[in-house]
Amino acid sequence: QDGKPPPRGFHKDLSVENKKMSFARLHIAAAIVHTLCALYAFATPAFYGSIPLRAARVAFDATSFRRIDVFTVHIPSAALLHGIVAVVTALFHILVYIPIYRSVLAQRVWDQGYLMVRWGEYAITCTLMSLASSTTSGDDDLNHAVALLLSGAALQLVGACVEQNRRASAGLLAVG
């Protein structure tokens, strides 16, 4: 308005092509950072371990219980889970986000204000990060890990629904 150019990084009046380039740069940088995180995770000595998860079958009597047997499953170490998260995130940036923002779909994404496929990535990555956090804090219950995996993906579905229909989802936000 006063003849001065907008401050650096100010995106309000950018053309569509400039927005596309700005988003492409952002996603390229994110892909590089996540790739470096994956390399670091895979180079960590802790990468080679595993975490045992157990489910016990028990018999109860009037005052106590005894274990009949224990079923054990070994899942990847927390470092490997972090590496998998970094790889999945980098791949989403490279194979999904950058092509979308460089295509004719970019304007549609900006107009609608959400990108549904992003929640698919979150369903994978956030759930794996929750599993890594839970197991490294000492939780070795297989039933809890399965419940965490299922509820983590369901939570991301709720997030996608809230983002798509923000006004109608105000009640969910108040409860949450």
Side-chain angles (χ1 to χ4, degrees):
Q1 295 172 354
D2 57 2
K4 293 181 183 176
R8 186 168 176 81
F10 185 77
H11 296 289
K12 188 172 184 175
D13 295 325
L14 289 179
S15 71
V16 171
E17 200 53 41
N18 285 341
K19 284 181 185 177
K20 285 182 179 182
M21 283 306 300
S22 180
F23 274 97
R25 281 190 214 108
L26 172 72
H27 289 294
I28 289 168
I32 291 169
V33 168
H34 287 291
T35 301
L36 292 174
C37 288
L39 292 172
Y40 176 75
F42 296 146
T44 304
F47 165 81
Y48 300 101
S50 67
I51 300 169
L53 297 178
R54 298 174 182 87
R57 197 167 62 131
V58 296
F60 293 93
D61 62 23
T63 58
S64 64
F65 70 92
R66 62 182 170 78
R67 284 196 176 133
I68 297 171
D69 60 5
V70 176
F71 176 72
T72 303
V73 173
H74 289 270
I75 64 168
S77 69
L80 178 56
L81 290 174
H82 286 274
I84 292 169
V85 166
V87 168
V88 168
T89 304
L91 288 175
F92 265 84
H93 282 285
I94 294 165
L95 301 176
V96 178
Y97 305 140
I98 293 171
I100 285 175
Y101 286 115
R102 295 298 302 157
S103 73
V104 295
L105 295 174
Q107 191 61 48
R108 175 185 250 180
V109 171
W110 289 315
D111 290 346
Q112 69 187 14
Y114 65 89
L115 182 59
M116 187 66 171
V117 71
R118 189 174 55 156
W119 292 93
E121 176 205 343
Y122 295 167
I124 297 166
T125 58
C126 293
T127 303
L128 287 177
M129 292 298 288
S130 296
L131 180 63
S133 296
S134 173
T135 56
T136 56
S137 66
D139 182 7
D140 68 347
D141 184 17
L142 177 62
N143 296 316
H144 181 254
V146 171
L148 193 141
L149 291 171
L150 296 174
S151 63
L155 178 65
Q156 299 312 314
L157 177 62
V158 170
C161 293
V162 168
E163 185 179 54
Q164 284 184 18
N165 198 358
R166 289 179 188 99
R167 288 184 188 92
S169 302
L172 288 174
L173 295 173
V175 171

